[in-house]
Amino acid sequence: FDVRLATEEAVTNVIEHGYAGVETPGPISVRFHRDSQQVVVTIDDLASPFDPATIRPADPSAPLEKRRIGGLGWHFVTRVMDEVRHELRHPRGNRLTLVKRLATN
C-alpha cells in the first residue's frame, strides 16, 4: 500500500505541477525493481526542475480550518517510504527514487 500511495502521489505531482501550463506535457517513466530486501521505484520526467527543499512541511495535526492547501501528498510520500531521493537530470528533468525496505523474518 505504501509503495502504491507514494508512487501515485509522485506521478500526480509531476502531472499537476511539473507539467502545469505546458501545452504538450512530456513523458513520465516509472520503473519498479524488487529484490528480497526492498522495492525501488524510479520516476523520471522531463518537467521543470523540482526542488523538494522548497516544499513547506505539512502539519497534519493542525485543525482543518487552519491547514493550508497542498503539501500533504509530499508529506505522505516522505513518511511512508524508507528513502526518498531526488536528482536533477541533465539537460532537464527530474529523477525521483523511492525505496521501501521489506520486512525480513
Side-chain angles (χ1 to χ4, degrees):
F1 176 81
D2 290 346
V3 173
R4 181 178 176 173
L5 173 70
T7 303
E8 287 179 0
E9 181 60 34
V11 170
T12 298
N13 282 344
V14 172
I15 294 166
E16 291 185 358
H17 302 291
Y19 288 130
V22 202
E23 190 171 315
T24 306
I28 301 171
S29 167
V30 181
R31 292 186 315 273
F32 295 87
H33 173 77
R34 182 187 188 277
D35 60 30
S36 62
Q37 298 177 339
Q38 63 188 6
V39 175
V40 179
V41 180
T42 306
I43 303 166
D44 291 315
D45 64 57
L46 294 177
S48 300
F50 164 66
D51 181 1
T54 64
I55 298 176
R56 292 186 329 193
D59 182 4
S61 64
L64 284 176
E65 63 276 3
K66 297 203 182 226
R67 290 186 196 176
R68 66 178 176 81
I69 296 175
L72 197 55
W74 185 250
H75 169 80
F76 287 134
V77 169
T78 59
R79 294 301 180 268
V80 302
M81 300 305 289
D82 294 310
E83 290 179 47
V84 177
R85 296 187 303 267
H86 172 267
E87 57 191 288
L88 294 175
R89 296 177 61 213
H90 184 75
R92 62 178 218 195
N94 302 276
R95 172 170 287 158
L96 186 65
T97 303
L98 309 172
V99 178
K100 185 69 172 178
R101 287 185 272 287
L102 302 173
T104 56
N105 294 332

